[in-house]
Amino acid sequence: MNSLFGGAVLTLIFAVGAILLLMATTPEVDVRKEGLFGAVFFSSASSPDGSIGMSLGIGSWESMVAFWLVCSVFVCALTIVVTRLRRYRASLIAQANARRPSL
């Protein structure tokens, strides 16, 4: 369950970062750009009065869900590796304490 939440947070961070990157790298008007494998988009359009309108959001829910699942698997794998390393470290400390003569 923590992996799903961690994957959601990681996906949100990547999505916001992708939108900000798209906004920063779009100097021209009347362009639609997609990022994060098509999951998010940014578009700008000029109006007849000279103002520029911008829109951004989710471009493809399927891509967003796929990215979320990949991030969740990554967080799960990272959690498993960290847990096993902590157990291994604890066993090494226990072995070192067992070999040490007591005073």
Side-chain angles (χ1 to χ4, degrees), residues 11-23 25-26 31-43 55-65 67:
T11 301
L12 181 64
I13 290 169
F14 273 104
V16 169
I19 288 174
L20 290 175
L21 185 66
L22 289 172
M23 288 174 69
T25 60
T26 308
V31 171
R32 177 184 168 104
K33 286 191 173 183
E34 294 182 350
L36 200 63
F37 310 108
V40 295
F41 74 91
F42 171 76
S43 64
S55 61
L56 50 99
I58 305 293
S60 168
W61 283 102
E62 293 84 10
S63 297
M64 188 67 84
V65 169
F67 194 78

Side-chain angles (χ1 to χ4, degrees), residues 2-8 10 70-80:
N2 289 338
S3 299
L4 296 176
F5 180 73
L10 197 57
V70 168
C71 287
S72 295
V73 168
F74 175 75
V75 170
C76 182
L78 190 65
T79 303
I80 290 170

